[in-house]
Amino acid sequence: MTTDDGLLEESAEDLFENAPCGYLSTRLDGTIVRVNRTFETWTGFSRDELLGTRRLPDLLSAGGRIYYDTHVAPLLLMQGFAREIAVDIERADGSHLPALINAMLRRGEHGRPGIVRTTVFDATDRRRYEQELLGARRREQEIAQRLQLSLLACTPPRADGLQIEVAYRPGVRGTEVGGDWYDAFWLREDETVGLVVGDVVGRGLDAAATMGQLRSAVRALASTGLEPGPLLDALDRYARVHGVGRMATLTYAQLHLASGELRYACAGHPPLVLVGPAGEPPRALWDGRSPPLDAHRSGAMARAEAACRLAAGTSLLLYTDGLVERRAQSIDDGIERLLDVLAEHGGRDPAALLPALIRGLRDPESADDVCLLLARVGA
């Protein structure tokens, strides 16, 4: 053997012992038969405490032991390897080492399972980074939820001959908020009320912030006296100039209490629904429609609006598409179901009607939010 060969042999041994990862060899049942110095240092166990006496699964947390026996060991037998398995290794002092392990089964004569070679990587920094990301994500969700709740916390206008009820149901509890929103406010106190329901594309903080911008813009534009169609035109320009709310949909309506006159316009949103006094079937208002906001309507004309008159005892429903959409079914079918449910329950008190609509219509498998606003006029 030459001097260079000796150095190479010594370097190979040193590489094994002091590698930047832990090395283990185990029997198929997990019993440790070889281990390097790095693993000893990381865990605080000596070789005498490990070799031939402990199984690798015994060094894992309770969940890790179960996962090793039910997933890792079968994978080794079926495909000969298991990669990037996240585990917690229990050190000699009782603390945990976050780790990633790769394992490969070496087969012996006639293909019989032999030794399992396992590399262990210290994932402490990765775990810390993941926790920081999760923490940042949770903080963003909390901010978005607080922002959304603040926007949905408006007190609806109250007056003789007017009852307004609102309801909001998130699509998935505990996760990102959606972009559904409602608003109701006086245009002229005790005379004319503005009603809005909208749906912003996306979820999370961006959607909540966009919702807030559009909500404020609608109120500001409404305060100038714009009718529904011109208001949506102005809102469309606002969305385009400021780059917010593209493809958002909404319905804006103005209801005059004394006359019962309703003026409304829909930008890509599901139609309003009227529930007349007893005996009159509910009907969807399909007029006054135009595309969603900032839909880049080339050479588009002014947005349409429509009007009708509400008799005493009539209810007006504004809602988002989460109420009527179902997988593999058209939204037209959903609106027909809504009309059927309203025909059966429309005479109920508005405060009880909205929860009944959500229970009867919302797709339990849908992750879409549901937002409703119902205004009843007269007796």
Side-chain angles (χ1 to χ4, degrees), residues 21 33 38 50 77 80 86 90 101 147 154 186 189 194 196 213 233 246 257 282 296 305 317 337 361 377:
C21 61
V33 296
T38 301
L50 295 172
L77 287 174
E90 294 186 349
I101 64 173
L147 177 57
C154 68
W186 286 117
E189 190 164 357
V196 191
Q213 290 175 283
D233 275 324
R246 185 180 184 189
L257 301 186
H296 296 297
E305 68 174 62
L317 178 67
R337 286 195 305 272
L361 292 167
V377 297

Side-chain angles (χ1 to χ4, degrees), residues 177-189:
V177 297
D180 292 19
W181 55 287
Y182 58 76
D183 199 8
F185 49 89
W186 286 117
L187 295 169
R188 289 184 295 277
E189 190 164 357

Side-chain angles (χ1 to χ4, degrees), residues 77-90:
L77 287 174
M78 287 188 295
Q79 63 185 26
F81 62 88
R83 295 174 180 161
E84 296 188 358
I85 307 299
V87 296
D88 282 336
I89 297 175
E90 294 186 349

